[in-house]
Amino acid sequence: MTTQEEKTRRAELIAAASRLFKEQGYERTTVRDLAQAVGMQSGSLFYHFRTKEEMLVAVMAAGIGDLTDRLEEALGQAKTPMEKLRTVCRVHLDTLLGDDKGALSVLLYEWPSLSDKARAELIKLRDSYERDWQQVLDEAAAAGLVHEDTRLLRKVLLGGLHWTIMWYRPEGGGTPSDLADRILELIIRKK
Amino acid sequence: MTTQEEKTRRAELIAAASRLFKEQGYERTTVRDLAQAVGMQSGSLFYHFRTKEEMLVAVMAAGIGDLTDRLEEALGQAKTPMEKLRTVCRVHLDTLLGDDKGALSVLLYEWPSLSDKARAELIKLRDSYERDWQQVLDEAAAAGLVHEDTRLLRKVLLGGLHWTIMWYRPEGGGTPSDLADRILELIIRKK
Amino acid sequence: MTTQEEKTRRAELIAAASRLFKEQGYERTTVRDLAQAVGMQSGSLFYHFRTKEEMLVAVMAAGIGDLTDRLEEALGQAKTPMEKLRTVCRVHLDTLLGDDKGALSVLLYEWPSLSDKARAELIKLRDSYERDWQQVLDEAAAAGLVHEDTRLLRKVLLGGLHWTIMWYRPEGGGTPSDLADRILELIIRKK
Amino acid sequence: MTTQEEKTRRAELIAAASRLFKEQGYERTTVRDLAQAVGMQSGSLFYHFRTKEEMLVAVMAAGIGDLTDRLEEALGQAKTPMEKLRTVCRVHLDTLLGDDKGALSVLLYEWPSLSDKARAELIKLRDSYERDWQQVLDEAAAAGLVHEDTRLLRKVLLGGLHWTIMWYRPEGGGTPSDLADRILELIIRKK
DNA sequence: AATGAATGAGGGTTCATTCAT
DNA sequence: AATGAATGAACCCTCATTCAT
């Protein structure tokens, strides 16, 4: 009950922060903006988070955590290397470009705003996500679907996907999943 | 004389801003930091630039301008579609990852810090650079070297290249040009 | 039962406040510090005390009350003017420098933190303590032991004793009682 | 000229801080109070001092510095041990109770507000003042004027003098110098 | 008797910018 | 061209206090 409400309030704050950090950037978002977005006074924020940076970390951790969960669930239903490849790209773009979430884009573009300490914590989570990618790419390379330098491919492909936030527009651009498929085409080695 | 010195001073400031904006981010760099870096008082900056944002714009404009100049010069010496392809990638990474410049990375990662007005001005410059890329990719596609969806390819490949700032380390990672070649391999359709 | 527990809880709080106000000062001690020291939430404090200042007053009142009680008890066993003189000094330093109590030092050094109203209340208690001192000094003067300007002597001697908190260190400094005796020597008119 | 004005402004601020810290206490004085007292905005303070604590240190350092200067000048004109004794007490009380200065009383009563680092710096200045006292007391003891435990006497007498701020009232209390003489009587060993 | 959550005023400090000189 | 000084709004954060439960 209390736990419930606490979860709710924290979750509300994280959601609001996610949105605002994405829209305006972390530095340009004030704690007053954040408080107002959930209908409280700015001082009250600090009951839930010790610092503004802690909110940023929470947003990012939630973002990468969600993403990893989604990916692992989706991978559970993918059989072939090709299906898995499609899955990692689709889940990534669905999450990044889906309008309900800003957390992932915050993760990517506010990385330099983190203190070293906070960064270290998040790197662990990010690495776990990238390990899943690496496995999928390794299987795909083994099946001759992609170039065998999979470590480089992982970084470059993820970079290419990340960058879509800068130019993707839902109207007339197809769904994120469609886009994922088209991007995949660019690097697939047809048998 | 005055013009000469003025150019010098402005250029000094832009260089300093470039470095500091890259290292610390635009928002986290104060005008005092900037002034100190060239040995003046913070108030004196405003003789050279009306606002801090104007410095950001100057850095970005110089960055994209330089890049386009370099590219066009290098393309002048490239003959085949393959050579041209290699050139665009190499010039991009040499500029982005070369240690003497931060301007390009500032351009990429401080884009959201711009006001709408400033953004509009820079978009023109950026488009001119991307037009050069587009031409090269179109030629390459015509020669069967790359996927024919060159507009998408341009965005994704540039995204992949941009992202290298996040992970490239000079020590043990080869030169930026080497990296460019390896990345190109990932998307080349072998004849 | 409730009364009993209430007393206990109040006493705990006063003891904790005494220690914290002494160590960190009244202004620099937060109600959260105080609450934590007795294992409760900050809001719960306000069931026991209406304001933070009320805690300060309680600490001070307890401090001066205890001191007066101790003094009167000790004086009961002192016969000669010289014994009485020694007693007032010893009790004062034992209480001020004894490691179990901070209340007296709080009384001295947080006096300016009090509101006028609170101050008035405490002045009465303090005066009662000083009246005991005055009597002892008057007897001593009558016996030729000290200078006859006993009102001035009272203030100056008490000032000198108060100031010991600033420099007294238990290790290698003798006991507070020893120190009291040595200080007394400084102002005694030998026979 | 610039130096002059800078001195003026800094001196103004120190004077105002001195007064306010004495009247309201350091913690209860806001930087807005301080700024208003010299007719500037609160932000402007930080052009002259990096932190509020730096102002406190400046007040204290000025206080103890002035005091030492005054003392050394006055001692230059004192011949006999008795005259010197009178001088140290008079200078101390004139400075402490003279209505133009609050710095010395701030030094005494805001000592606990200092950070360890700042305290260390001020201890040096204070020690230099107390060394002058020690010499005077040693000479006086050699002449049989005071008790031979001069180190203890120094601390106790200074404590007694310090405490006068708590009770001295100019109206009807004689001048600070008169008071100094009367206090001295309390500890003098008549020939 | 105590809690968890919130309040709201105010804290010290930062910082882009201005301007007389 | 540059400076020293100041501005003033905004910043993140603190904290005594309140109150429904």
Side-chain angles (χ1 to χ4, degrees), chain D residues 43-70:
Chain D
S44 311
L45 273 185
F46 293 88
Y47 181 80
H48 301 278
F49 296 90
R50 267 198 313 261
T51 62
K52 186 187 168 193
E53 197 199 15
E54 211 172 72
M55 298 195 68
L56 177 59
V57 172
V59 165
M60 289 181 169
I64 186 73
D66 275 8
L67 179 61
T68 308
D69 291 349
R70 283 193 189 207

PDB file of all heavy atoms in Angstrom, chain D residues 43-70:
ATOM      1  N   GLY D  43      24.056  38.813  -5.409  1.00  0.00           N
ATOM      2  CA  GLY D  43      25.020  38.166  -6.298  1.00  0.00           C
ATOM      3  C   GLY D  43      26.345  38.896  -6.371  1.00  0.00           C
ATOM      4  O   GLY D  43      27.400  38.281  -6.565  1.00  0.00           O
ATOM      5  N   SER D  44      26.287  40.192  -6.204  1.00  0.00           N
ATOM      6  CA  SER D  44      27.501  41.006  -6.358  1.00  0.00           C
ATOM      7  C   SER D  44      28.525  40.748  -5.257  1.00  0.00           C
ATOM      8  O   SER D  44      29.721  40.960  -5.445  1.00  0.00           O
ATOM      9  CB  SER D  44      27.131  42.482  -6.353  1.00  0.00           C
ATOM     10  OG  SER D  44      26.063  42.716  -7.240  1.00  0.00           O
ATOM     11  N   LEU D  45      28.024  40.296  -4.130  1.00  0.00           N
ATOM     12  CA  LEU D  45      28.928  39.964  -3.035  1.00  0.00           C
ATOM     13  C   LEU D  45      30.010  39.010  -3.486  1.00  0.00           C
ATOM     14  O   LEU D  45      31.163  39.088  -3.044  1.00  0.00           O
ATOM     15  CB  LEU D  45      28.159  39.253  -1.931  1.00  0.00           C
ATOM     16  CG  LEU D  45      27.484  40.104  -0.898  1.00  0.00           C
ATOM     17  CD1 LEU D  45      26.901  39.208   0.154  1.00  0.00           C
ATOM     18  CD2 LEU D  45      28.502  41.042  -0.296  1.00  0.00           C
ATOM     19  N   PHE D  46      29.609  38.106  -4.351  1.00  0.00           N
ATOM     20  CA  PHE D  46      30.497  37.011  -4.693  1.00  0.00           C
ATOM     21  C   PHE D  46      31.556  37.435  -5.701  1.00  0.00           C
ATOM     22  O   PHE D  46      32.369  36.638  -6.126  1.00  0.00           O
ATOM     23  CB  PHE D  46      29.673  35.818  -5.161  1.00  0.00           C
ATOM     24  CG  PHE D  46      28.854  35.237  -4.049  1.00  0.00           C
ATOM     25  CD1 PHE D  46      27.582  35.724  -3.766  1.00  0.00           C
ATOM     26  CD2 PHE D  46      29.375  34.252  -3.236  1.00  0.00           C
ATOM     27  CE1 PHE D  46      26.837  35.216  -2.717  1.00  0.00           C
ATOM     28  CE2 PHE D  46      28.643  33.736  -2.185  1.00  0.00           C
ATOM     29  CZ  PHE D  46      27.365  34.219  -1.919  1.00  0.00           C
ATOM     30  N   TYR D  47      31.507  38.675  -6.067  1.00  0.00           N
ATOM     31  CA  TYR D  47      32.621  39.212  -6.828  1.00  0.00           C
ATOM     32  C   TYR D  47      33.779  39.509  -5.876  1.00  0.00           C
ATOM     33  O   TYR D  47      34.938  39.388  -6.227  1.00  0.00           O
ATOM     34  CB  TYR D  47      32.194  40.479  -7.566  1.00  0.00           C
ATOM     35  CG  TYR D  47      33.306  41.061  -8.386  1.00  0.00           C
ATOM     36  CD1 TYR D  47      33.617  40.537  -9.630  1.00  0.00           C
ATOM     37  CD2 TYR D  47      34.074  42.106  -7.897  1.00  0.00           C
ATOM     38  CE1 TYR D  47      34.663  41.048 -10.378  1.00  0.00           C
ATOM     39  CE2 TYR D  47      35.118  42.626  -8.639  1.00  0.00           C
ATOM     40  CZ  TYR D  47      35.410  42.097  -9.876  1.00  0.00           C
ATOM     41  OH  TYR D  47      36.441  42.601 -10.611  1.00  0.00           O
ATOM     42  N   HIS D  48      33.440  39.859  -4.663  1.00  0.00           N
ATOM     43  CA  HIS D  48      34.459  40.263  -3.689  1.00  0.00           C
ATOM     44  C   HIS D  48      34.907  39.127  -2.771  1.00  0.00           C
ATOM     45  O   HIS D  48      36.044  39.097  -2.333  1.00  0.00           O
ATOM     46  CB  HIS D  48      33.933  41.429  -2.856  1.00  0.00           C
ATOM     47  CG  HIS D  48      33.557  42.621  -3.675  1.00  0.00           C
ATOM     48  ND1 HIS D  48      34.481  43.539  -4.102  1.00  0.00           N
ATOM     49  CD2 HIS D  48      32.381  43.016  -4.196  1.00  0.00           C
ATOM     50  CE1 HIS D  48      33.876  44.474  -4.823  1.00  0.00           C
ATOM     51  NE2 HIS D  48      32.603  44.182  -4.891  1.00  0.00           N
ATOM     52  N   PHE D  49      33.993  38.221  -2.490  1.00  0.00           N
ATOM     53  CA  PHE D  49      34.313  37.085  -1.632  1.00  0.00           C
ATOM     54  C   PHE D  49      33.766  35.825  -2.271  1.00  0.00           C
ATOM     55  O   PHE D  49      32.669  35.839  -2.813  1.00  0.00           O
ATOM     56  CB  PHE D  49      33.686  37.270  -0.253  1.00  0.00           C
ATOM     57  CG  PHE D  49      34.224  38.445   0.505  1.00  0.00           C
ATOM     58  CD1 PHE D  49      33.631  39.694   0.378  1.00  0.00           C
ATOM     59  CD2 PHE D  49      35.338  38.311   1.322  1.00  0.00           C
ATOM     60  CE1 PHE D  49      34.131  40.788   1.061  1.00  0.00           C
ATOM     61  CE2 PHE D  49      35.837  39.408   2.009  1.00  0.00           C
ATOM     62  CZ  PHE D  49      35.239  40.651   1.885  1.00  0.00           C
ATOM     63  N   ARG D  50      34.530  34.774  -2.195  1.00  0.00           N
ATOM     64  CA  ARG D  50      34.071  33.574  -2.882  1.00  0.00           C
ATOM     65  C   ARG D  50      32.909  32.895  -2.174  1.00  0.00           C
ATOM     66  O   ARG D  50      32.053  32.286  -2.803  1.00  0.00           O
ATOM     67  CB  ARG D  50      35.229  32.597  -3.073  1.00  0.00           C
ATOM     68  CG  ARG D  50      35.906  32.774  -4.422  1.00  0.00           C
ATOM     69  CD  ARG D  50      36.725  31.555  -4.775  1.00  0.00           C
ATOM     70  NE  ARG D  50      37.547  31.146  -3.642  1.00  0.00           N
ATOM     71  CZ  ARG D  50      38.846  31.434  -3.492  1.00  0.00           C
ATOM     72  NH1 ARG D  50      39.486  32.086  -4.432  1.00  0.00           N
ATOM     73  NH2 ARG D  50      39.492  31.037  -2.441  1.00  0.00           N
ATOM     74  N   THR D  51      32.913  32.959  -0.858  1.00  0.00           N
ATOM     75  CA  THR D  51      31.830  32.349  -0.095  1.00  0.00           C
ATOM     76  C   THR D  51      31.483  33.239   1.081  1.00  0.00           C
ATOM     77  O   THR D  51      32.226  34.154   1.437  1.00  0.00           O
ATOM     78  CB  THR D  51      32.247  30.982   0.498  1.00  0.00           C
ATOM     79  OG1 THR D  51      33.338  31.206   1.392  1.00  0.00           O
ATOM     80  CG2 THR D  51      32.658  30.002  -0.589  1.00  0.00           C
ATOM     81  N   LYS D  52      30.374  32.934   1.690  1.00  0.00           N
ATOM     82  CA  LYS D  52      29.990  33.664   2.890  1.00  0.00           C
ATOM     83  C   LYS D  52      31.017  33.429   3.988  1.00  0.00           C
ATOM     84  O   LYS D  52      31.354  34.338   4.739  1.00  0.00           O
ATOM     85  CB  LYS D  52      28.600  33.181   3.328  1.00  0.00           C
ATOM     86  CG  LYS D  52      27.994  33.944   4.491  1.00  0.00           C
ATOM     87  CD  LYS D  52      26.698  33.254   4.922  1.00  0.00           C
ATOM     88  CE  LYS D  52      26.191  33.769   6.247  1.00  0.00           C
ATOM     89  NZ  LYS D  52      25.122  32.877   6.804  1.00  0.00           N
ATOM     90  N   GLU D  53      31.515  32.214   4.064  1.00  0.00           N
ATOM     91  CA  GLU D  53      32.496  31.925   5.109  1.00  0.00           C
ATOM     92  C   GLU D  53      33.755  32.781   4.924  1.00  0.00           C
ATOM     93  O   GLU D  53      34.389  33.163   5.904  1.00  0.00           O
ATOM     94  CB  GLU D  53      32.882  30.444   5.123  1.00  0.00           C
ATOM     95  CG  GLU D  53      33.550  30.077   6.450  1.00  0.00           C
ATOM     96  CD  GLU D  53      34.357  28.783   6.396  1.00  0.00           C
ATOM     97  OE1 GLU D  53      34.656  28.295   5.292  1.00  0.00           O
ATOM     98  OE2 GLU D  53      34.690  28.282   7.480  1.00  0.00           O
ATOM     99  N   GLU D  54      34.097  33.045   3.681  1.00  0.00           N
ATOM    100  CA  GLU D  54      35.277  33.863   3.441  1.00  0.00           C
ATOM    101  C   GLU D  54      35.080  35.260   4.051  1.00  0.00           C
ATOM    102  O   GLU D  54      36.044  35.903   4.485  1.00  0.00           O
ATOM    103  CB  GLU D  54      35.531  33.971   1.940  1.00  0.00           C
ATOM    104  CG  GLU D  54      36.973  34.115   1.578  1.00  0.00           C
ATOM    105  CD  GLU D  54      37.204  34.030   0.073  1.00  0.00           C
ATOM    106  OE1 GLU D  54      36.837  34.987  -0.639  1.00  0.00           O
ATOM    107  OE2 GLU D  54      37.739  33.017  -0.402  1.00  0.00           O
ATOM    108  N   MET D  55      33.857  35.711   4.092  1.00  0.00           N
ATOM    109  CA  MET D  55      33.583  37.003   4.717  1.00  0.00           C
ATOM    110  C   MET D  55      33.790  36.905   6.222  1.00  0.00           C
ATOM    111  O   MET D  55      34.314  37.823   6.850  1.00  0.00           O
ATOM    112  CB  MET D  55      32.155  37.449   4.425  1.00  0.00           C
ATOM    113  CG  MET D  55      31.881  37.664   2.953  1.00  0.00           C
ATOM    114  SD  MET D  55      30.331  38.591   2.690  1.00  0.00           S
ATOM    115  CE  MET D  55      30.797  40.203   3.347  1.00  0.00           C
ATOM    116  N   LEU D  56      33.342  35.802   6.765  1.00  0.00           N
ATOM    117  CA  LEU D  56      33.525  35.615   8.202  1.00  0.00           C
ATOM    118  C   LEU D  56      35.005  35.611   8.546  1.00  0.00           C
ATOM    119  O   LEU D  56      35.451  36.279   9.493  1.00  0.00           O
ATOM    120  CB  LEU D  56      32.871  34.300   8.629  1.00  0.00           C
ATOM    121  CG  LEU D  56      33.029  33.904  10.101  1.00  0.00           C
ATOM    122  CD1 LEU D  56      32.449  34.970  11.009  1.00  0.00           C
ATOM    123  CD2 LEU D  56      32.359  32.563  10.375  1.00  0.00           C
ATOM    124  N   VAL D  57      35.759  34.882   7.751  1.00  0.00           N
ATOM    125  CA  VAL D  57      37.200  34.822   7.994  1.00  0.00           C
ATOM    126  C   VAL D  57      37.824  36.215   7.876  1.00  0.00           C
ATOM    127  O   VAL D  57      38.649  36.609   8.701  1.00  0.00           O
ATOM    128  CB  VAL D  57      37.869  33.830   7.020  1.00  0.00           C
ATOM    129  CG1 VAL D  57      39.380  33.913   7.134  1.00  0.00           C
ATOM    130  CG2 VAL D  57      37.391  32.418   7.294  1.00  0.00           C
ATOM    131  N   ALA D  58      37.386  36.943   6.863  1.00  0.00           N
ATOM    132  CA  ALA D  58      37.938  38.284   6.671  1.00  0.00           C
ATOM    133  C   ALA D  58      37.622  39.178   7.869  1.00  0.00           C
ATOM    134  O   ALA D  58      38.472  39.943   8.329  1.00  0.00           O
ATOM    135  CB  ALA D  58      37.379  38.895   5.387  1.00  0.00           C
ATOM    136  N   VAL D  59      36.399  39.069   8.367  1.00  0.00           N
ATOM    137  CA  VAL D  59      36.020  39.857   9.543  1.00  0.00           C
ATOM    138  C   VAL D  59      36.917  39.507  10.719  1.00  0.00           C
ATOM    139  O   VAL D  59      37.464  40.367  11.399  1.00  0.00           O
ATOM    140  CB  VAL D  59      34.546  39.600   9.908  1.00  0.00           C
ATOM    141  CG1 VAL D  59      34.241  40.113  11.311  1.00  0.00           C
ATOM    142  CG2 VAL D  59      33.624  40.240   8.890  1.00  0.00           C
ATOM    143  N   MET D  60      37.063  38.217  10.933  1.00  0.00           N
ATOM    144  CA  MET D  60      37.847  37.770  12.080  1.00  0.00           C
ATOM    145  C   MET D  60      39.319  38.160  11.943  1.00  0.00           C
ATOM    146  O   MET D  60      39.935  38.622  12.906  1.00  0.00           O
ATOM    147  CB  MET D  60      37.723  36.257  12.223  1.00  0.00           C
ATOM    148  CG  MET D  60      36.348  35.812  12.698  1.00  0.00           C
ATOM    149  SD  MET D  60      36.321  33.994  12.857  1.00  0.00           S
ATOM    150  CE  MET D  60      34.760  33.755  13.737  1.00  0.00           C
ATOM    151  N   ALA D  61      39.841  37.955  10.750  1.00  0.00           N
ATOM    152  CA  ALA D  61      41.257  38.271  10.543  1.00  0.00           C
ATOM    153  C   ALA D  61      41.485  39.769  10.738  1.00  0.00           C
ATOM    154  O   ALA D  61      42.459  40.185  11.368  1.00  0.00           O
ATOM    155  CB  ALA D  61      41.686  37.833   9.150  1.00  0.00           C
ATOM    156  N   ALA D  62      40.569  40.564  10.217  1.00  0.00           N
ATOM    157  CA  ALA D  62      40.693  42.009  10.409  1.00  0.00           C
ATOM    158  C   ALA D  62      40.618  42.332  11.895  1.00  0.00           C
ATOM    159  O   ALA D  62      41.382  43.157  12.407  1.00  0.00           O
ATOM    160  CB  ALA D  62      39.598  42.736   9.642  1.00  0.00           C
ATOM    161  N   GLY D  63      39.704  41.673  12.595  1.00  0.00           N
ATOM    162  CA  GLY D  63      39.522  41.939  14.018  1.00  0.00           C
ATOM    163  C   GLY D  63      40.781  41.637  14.811  1.00  0.00           C
ATOM    164  O   GLY D  63      41.275  42.482  15.562  1.00  0.00           O
ATOM    165  N   ILE D  64      41.303  40.458  14.634  1.00  0.00           N
ATOM    166  CA  ILE D  64      42.470  40.085  15.424  1.00  0.00           C
ATOM    167  C   ILE D  64      43.712  40.859  14.983  1.00  0.00           C
ATOM    168  O   ILE D  64      44.555  41.227  15.803  1.00  0.00           O
ATOM    169  CB  ILE D  64      42.696  38.554  15.387  1.00  0.00           C
ATOM    170  CG1 ILE D  64      43.817  38.119  16.327  1.00  0.00           C
ATOM    171  CG2 ILE D  64      42.999  38.069  13.989  1.00  0.00           C
ATOM    172  CD1 ILE D  64      43.431  38.179  17.749  1.00  0.00           C
ATOM    173  N   GLY D  65      43.765  41.159  13.685  1.00  0.00           N
ATOM    174  CA  GLY D  65      44.902  41.944  13.187  1.00  0.00           C
ATOM    175  C   GLY D  65      44.917  43.346  13.781  1.00  0.00           C
ATOM    176  O   GLY D  65      45.931  43.787  14.331  1.00  0.00           O
ATOM    177  N   ASP D  66      43.791  44.013  13.709  1.00  0.00           N
ATOM    178  CA  ASP D  66      43.655  45.346  14.302  1.00  0.00           C
ATOM    179  C   ASP D  66      44.039  45.333  15.768  1.00  0.00           C
ATOM    180  O   ASP D  66      44.767  46.206  16.256  1.00  0.00           O
ATOM    181  CB  ASP D  66      42.189  45.805  14.235  1.00  0.00           C
ATOM    182  CG  ASP D  66      41.874  46.452  12.913  1.00  0.00           C
ATOM    183  OD1 ASP D  66      42.741  46.412  12.007  1.00  0.00           O
ATOM    184  OD2 ASP D  66      40.753  46.972  12.771  1.00  0.00           O
ATOM    185  N   LEU D  67      43.508  44.339  16.450  1.00  0.00           N
ATOM    186  CA  LEU D  67      43.733  44.264  17.888  1.00  0.00           C
ATOM    187  C   LEU D  67      45.219  44.143  18.191  1.00  0.00           C
ATOM    188  O   LEU D  67      45.754  44.848  19.062  1.00  0.00           O
ATOM    189  CB  LEU D  67      42.977  43.059  18.440  1.00  0.00           C
ATOM    190  CG  LEU D  67      43.113  42.783  19.930  1.00  0.00           C
ATOM    191  CD1 LEU D  67      42.588  43.943  20.755  1.00  0.00           C
ATOM    192  CD2 LEU D  67      42.379  41.494  20.294  1.00  0.00           C
ATOM    193  N   THR D  68      45.888  43.268  17.462  1.00  0.00           N
ATOM    194  CA  THR D  68      47.321  43.078  17.691  1.00  0.00           C
ATOM    195  C   THR D  68      48.081  44.372  17.393  1.00  0.00           C
ATOM    196  O   THR D  68      48.973  44.773  18.148  1.00  0.00           O
ATOM    197  CB  THR D  68      47.842  41.928  16.812  1.00  0.00           C
ATOM    198  OG1 THR D  68      47.018  40.781  17.003  1.00  0.00           O
ATOM    199  CG2 THR D  68      49.280  41.580  17.180  1.00  0.00           C
ATOM    200  N   ASP D  69      47.711  45.019  16.306  1.00  0.00           N
ATOM    201  CA  ASP D  69      48.371  46.280  15.962  1.00  0.00           C
ATOM    202  C   ASP D  69      48.205  47.307  17.082  1.00  0.00           C
ATOM    203  O   ASP D  69      49.162  47.937  17.520  1.00  0.00           O
ATOM    204  CB  ASP D  69      47.774  46.855  14.676  1.00  0.00           C
ATOM    205  CG  ASP D  69      48.145  46.012  13.468  1.00  0.00           C
ATOM    206  OD1 ASP D  69      49.013  45.118  13.595  1.00  0.00           O
ATOM    207  OD2 ASP D  69      47.562  46.241  12.386  1.00  0.00           O
ATOM    208  N   ARG D  70      46.985  47.474  17.489  1.00  0.00           N
ATOM    209  CA  ARG D  70      46.715  48.435  18.572  1.00  0.00           C
ATOM    210  C   ARG D  70      47.517  48.111  19.815  1.00  0.00           C
ATOM    211  O   ARG D  70      48.059  48.984  20.481  1.00  0.00           O
ATOM    212  CB  ARG D  70      45.241  48.339  18.988  1.00  0.00           C
ATOM    213  CG  ARG D  70      44.265  48.982  18.077  1.00  0.00           C
ATOM    214  CD  ARG D  70      42.985  49.022  18.871  1.00  0.00           C
ATOM    215  NE  ARG D  70      41.820  49.428  18.115  1.00  0.00           N
ATOM    216  CZ  ARG D  70      40.768  50.007  18.693  1.00  0.00           C
ATOM    217  NH1 ARG D  70      40.775  50.218  20.016  1.00  0.00           N
ATOM    218  NH2 ARG D  70      39.732  50.348  17.981  1.00  0.00           N
TER     219      ARG D  70
END
